[in-house]
């Protein structure tokens, strides 16, 4: 290694990769806090609802801060020649998962959900499976990023796993939407109906964004291997 | 003519040479994000000094070999002045300069102006090499690119990136080395001539010239001209750039062994096309490519005319 100031011909990418993995882990914490928020709302536990809402917001704020630091580090340093813009894109997409979790949390806490039909949807097995698939998609995204240190075949295989969880989350989201809209007219007041529906769409974006981030991995593979 | 005049002129020409090539030697590495500014500058500087000292003296008989006797001082002076005038004005206009071609054109113009007999056979060798070099570089690059892609196909993305980073570091050093050996050697050889210096003095002059070129590189960094052609000509991956640089290094080194002056753009353009056509689809700025190729003819012709015009005045 050369020890002149500002000169180090070492390999700096692994430390950046580790930070991206840590970023995904933080994003997962946000998404897990969202799941706990849903549970608190379904239980009608107001203090827990407020605490989990704050937790989601705080974690998103941390993720935003890490995203800014990481982006600056990549933008200013000599890393990932030829694919630096795509790495920045990946970091942005990873952060957007957290951002969507925050948006979903905000929607769900706009007003107190008291309607029994809506509560039933939030407590349903479909919701549990939906949230589990959101989590699985983020965990799978983390494994995609980790695969950058393995080989391209593994990266591509893991990208498909993210897609699978995203599609599965879609199925459960559709089940819940159908449950919402198949109730007898007037069973759920329009405001609650809109709120739960918008929450489902927004929460589903968590998996969509995870999939978008994994799509960037495909671009990285295509460009990175020349 | 004062003995130091050719050296001072060589110093001025070397500075312009560093200025014009700074983008190529530093800008590409910076722009692609593979090396930091300091790393690129350190490697370029190291390569310039090593190339000048180790192989620069091989170019002393390059232009001198085109005529039957030692070039008269006036020919040397006219060659250097015409080269400075042309390269300085073209660099100011941000047009990439083929240094070796400019110097060859100016030298022939100076010889013509003074009615000195010319060795046509040697000239034919140089021109033939100029025709072959881009194609040969293209072939070397094509093979090199395929080898790199095969070698990296089973690596992790991080390993590929590390490979590219280290590869770009090595080829940056190599590129500065061959560029210095050939072009700086040509400037040195033209100014000093063959056999007129002791080895120690020759090394000192070459190191001094390399230092002047490094000053030009460091002062202008990415603001140079040559690299911008590559940036706008076509889009290459780091591995493509790596292969194009390897092809260029090989061809310039071969030229240096035969004391044939060669421009880096002549080789690099061929190399870039070689890398681009490894893939079936290549987006190429054809107009720019034609402009560059046309400049290989126009610039030496202009240098010839300038030398013929200023010859009788000096």
């Amino acid at each position: 290694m050369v020890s002149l100031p500002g000169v180090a011909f070492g390999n700096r990418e692994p430390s950046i990769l580790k930070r991206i993995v840590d970023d995904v882990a933080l994003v997962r914490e946000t998404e897990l806090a969202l799941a706990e928020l849903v549970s608190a709302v379904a239980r009608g536990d107001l203090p827990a609802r407020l605490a989990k809402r704050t937790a989601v917001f705080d974690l998103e704020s941390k993720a935003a801060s890490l995203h800014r630091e990481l982006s600056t580090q990549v933008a200013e340093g000599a890393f990932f020649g030829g694919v630096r813009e795509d790495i920045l894109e990946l970091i942005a997409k990873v952060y957007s998962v957290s951002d969507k979790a925050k948006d979903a949390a905000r929607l769900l806490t706009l007003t107190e959900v008291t309607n029994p039909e809506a509560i039933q949807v939030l407590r349903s097995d479909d919701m549990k499976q939906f949230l589990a698939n959101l989590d699985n998609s983020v965990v799978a995204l983390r494994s995609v990023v980790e695969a950058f240190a393995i080989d391209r075949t593994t990266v591509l295989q893991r990208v498909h796993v993210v897609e699978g969880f995203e599609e599965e989350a879609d199925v459960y989201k559709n089940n819940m939407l159908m449950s919402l809209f198949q109730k007898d007219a007037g069973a759920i007041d329009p405001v609650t109906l809109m709120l739960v529906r918008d929450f489902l769409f927004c929460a589903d974006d968590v998996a969509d964004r995870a999939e978008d981030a994994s799509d960037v991995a495909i671009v990285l593979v295509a460009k990175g291997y020349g | 003519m004062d003995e130091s005049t050719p050296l001072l002129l060589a110093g001025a020409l070397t500075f312009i040479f560093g200025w014009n090539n700074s983008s190529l030697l530093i800008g590409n590495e910076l722009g692609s994000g593979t090396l930091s500014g300091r790393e690129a500058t350190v490697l370029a500087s190291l390569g310039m000094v090593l190339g000048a000292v180790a192989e620069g003296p091989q170019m002393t008989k390059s232009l001198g070999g085109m005529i039957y006797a030692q070039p008269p001082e006036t020919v040397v002076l006219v060659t250097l002045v015409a080269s400075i005038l042309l390269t300085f004005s073209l660099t100011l206009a941000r047009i990439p300069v083929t240094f070796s071609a400019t110097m060859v054109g100016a030298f022939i113009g100076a010889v013509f102006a003074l009615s000195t007999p010319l060795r046509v056979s040697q000239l034919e060798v140089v021109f033939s090499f100029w025709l072959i070099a881009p194609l040969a570089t293209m072939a070397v690059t094509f093979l090199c690119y395929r080898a790199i892609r095969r070698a990296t196909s089973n690596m992790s993305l991080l390993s590929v990136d590390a490979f590219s980073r280290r590869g770009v570091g090595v080829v940056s050093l190599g590129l500065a080395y061959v560029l210095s050996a050939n072009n700086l050697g040509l400037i040195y050889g033209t100014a000093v001539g063959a056999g007129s210096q002791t080895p120690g003095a020759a090394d000192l002059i070459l190191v001094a010239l390399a230092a002047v070129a490094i000053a030009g590189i460091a002062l202008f960094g990415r603001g140079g001209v040559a690299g911008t052609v590559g940036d706008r000509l076509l889009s290459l991956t780091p591995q493509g750039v790596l292969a194009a640089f390897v092809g260029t290094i090989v061809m310039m080194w071969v030229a240096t062994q035969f004391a044939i002056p060669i421009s880096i753009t002549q080789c690099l353009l061929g190399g870039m096309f070689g890398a681009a056509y490894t893939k079936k689809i290549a987006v190429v700025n054809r107009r720019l490519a034609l402009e560059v190729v046309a400049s290989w003819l126009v610039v030496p012709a202009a240098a010839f005319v300038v030398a013929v015009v200023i010859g009788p005045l000096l």
Side-chain angles (χ1 to χ4, degrees):
Chain A
M1 297 279 271
V2 180
S3 60
L4 290 169
V7 179
F9 293 102
N11 193 9
R12 287 161 282 192
E13 281 81 355
S15 66
I16 297 289
L17 184 69
K18 189 185 173 300
R19 290 199 74 184
I20 300 174
V21 171
D22 291 345
D23 192 16
V24 183
L26 185 59
V27 162
R28 187 185 175 214
E29 280 184 52
T30 318
E31 164 265 310
L32 286 174
L34 173 70
E36 289 168 8
L37 172 67
V38 173
S39 174
V41 171
R43 288 197 314 271
D45 184 345
L46 197 61
R49 193 188 79 152
L50 289 172
K52 292 303 168 190
R53 181 186 191 273
T54 306
V56 172
F57 277 50
D58 287 349
L59 286 164
E60 187 278 337
S61 184
K62 274 187 195 171
S65 177
L66 184 58
H67 165 238
R68 274 193 298 275
E69 278 175 33
L70 205 49
S71 300
T72 307
Q73 190 179 3
V74 173
E76 289 178 350
F79 310 113
F80 299 106
V83 293
R84 193 159 46 165
E85 289 81 0
D86 302 295
I87 290 287
L88 287 170
E89 174 84 359
L90 174 71
I91 294 166
K93 296 280 186 194
V94 167
Y95 162 68
S96 72
V97 173
S98 194
D99 192 40
K100 283 295 160 189
K102 181 189 174 185
D103 287 347
R106 183 187 286 123
L107 271 171
L108 199 59
T109 51
L110 275 177
T111 182
E112 198 177 342
V113 181
T114 52
N115 184 289
E117 303 294 342
I119 294 287
Q120 196 181 323
V121 169
L122 293 178
R123 283 180 179 170
S124 66
D125 282 343
D126 282 332
M127 176 59 83
K128 288 188 181 79
Q129 292 298 324
F130 174 68
L131 292 171
N133 277 292
L134 296 189
D135 184 39
N136 287 340
S137 65
V138 177
V139 172
L141 173 63
R142 182 177 164 162
S143 71
V144 167
V145 177
E146 286 169 340
F148 290 167
I150 305 173
D151 58 41
R152 64 170 151 187
T153 312
T154 311
V155 173
L156 295 175
Q157 281 170 349
R158 292 183 180 183
V159 165
H160 291 307
V161 173
V162 179
E163 284 170 5
F165 287 127
E166 190 276 329
E167 282 168 17
E168 216 167 319
D170 259 353
V171 171
Y172 293 110
K173 178 193 75 180
N174 287 336
N175 289 348
M176 286 186 283
L177 285 172
M178 284 168 69
S179 298
L180 274 178
F181 287 96
Q182 276 175 0
K183 302 294 173 190
D184 295 336
I188 303 180
D189 64 278
V191 171
T192 305
L193 184 73
M194 282 169 59
L195 188 123
V196 177
R197 183 201 62 180
D198 288 354
F199 163 75
L200 288 174
F201 282 127
C202 203
D204 187 50
D205 280 345
V206 168
D208 283 344
R209 292 295 186 274
E211 190 192 18
D212 289 347
S214 71
D215 285 343
V216 179
I218 298 176
V219 176
L220 280 166
V221 167
K223 284 190 184 173
Y225 287 88
Chain B
M1 183 176 65
D2 191 305
E3 272 185 16
S4 61
T5 306
L7 281 177
L8 290 173
L9 290 171
L13 188 57
T14 303
F15 183 79
I16 302 166
F17 162 79
W19 174 9
N20 197 276
N21 284 295
S22 56
S23 270
L24 196 73
L25 293 169
I26 292 181
N28 283 338
E29 291 82 353
L30 267 178
S32 65
T34 41
L35 295 176
S36 70
R38 286 187 183 183
E39 288 167 354
T41 308
V42 165
L43 288 174
S45 304
L46 195 62
M48 293 298 287
V49 174
L50 287 174
V53 174
E55 302 207 47
Q58 297 201 59
M59 296 299 289
T60 47
K61 286 184 179 173
S62 182
L63 292 184
M66 290 181 189
I67 54 177
Y68 289 96
Q70 184 76 8
E73 282 183 346
T74 317
V75 169
V76 171
L77 205 60
V78 170
T79 303
L80 292 171
V81 171
S83 298
I84 289 169
L85 285 174
L86 205 64
T87 54
F88 182 67
S89 49
L90 288 174
T91 303
L92 270 185
R94 303 195 61 76
I95 296 169
V97 184
T98 50
F99 263 83
S100 52
T102 303
M103 285 190 71
V104 171
F107 184 81
I108 297 168
V111 168
F112 180 80
L114 294 171
S115 305
T116 311
L118 201 66
R119 271 187 188 149
V120 178
S121 58
Q122 181 64 16
L123 206 56
E124 282 173 353
V125 171
V126 172
F127 285 156
S128 302
F129 198 88
W130 285 359
L131 283 175
I132 294 165
L135 299 172
T137 311
M138 191 186 287
V140 173
T141 302
F142 184 84
L143 295 173
C144 186
Y145 195 12
R146 289 187 70 145
I148 289 172
R149 290 184 70 188
R150 182 169 288 192
T152 57
S153 62
N154 291 321
M155 287 183 184
S156 74
L157 202 59
L158 282 191
S159 303
V160 173
D161 196 72
F163 176 85
S164 297
R165 258 170 62 77
R166 293 197 173 112
V168 167
V170 172
V171 295
S172 295
L173 185 72
L175 201 66
Y177 178 92
V178 291
L179 185 66
S180 177
N182 193 289
N183 287 197
L184 215 73
L186 181 69
I187 296 172
Y188 164 80
T190 307
V192 174
S196 57
Q197 299 287 331
T198 62
D203 284 351
L204 202 64
I205 294 168
L206 282 162
V207 169
L209 286 177
V212 172
I214 291 163
I217 292 166
L219 278 174
F220 292 97
R222 289 187 76 181
V225 182
T228 58
V229 172
D231 294 343
R232 287 168 18 226
L233 189 65
L234 43 79
S235 173
L236 286 180
T237 61
Q239 292 94 322
V241 172
L242 199 62
F245 278 9
V246 170
T248 302
I249 290 166
V250 169
M251 206 43 58
M252 287 195 77
W253 184 80
V254 169
T256 307
Q257 304 317 302
F258 294 99
I260 295 171
I262 183 95
S263 161
I264 194 164
T265 55
Q266 285 171 309
C267 298
L268 197 55
L269 192 78
M272 290 178 99
F273 276 98
Y277 286 116
T278 307
K279 292 183 171 182
K280 289 194 171 77
I281 300 168
V283 180
V284 176
N285 186 340
R286 288 180 195 280
R287 188 181 161 191
L288 183 62
L290 284 172
E291 280 176 14
V292 172
V293 174
S295 77
W296 296 346
L297 301 171
V298 173
V299 173
F304 176 87
V305 173
V306 171
V308 168
V309 171
I310 66 168
L313 304 174
L314 294 174

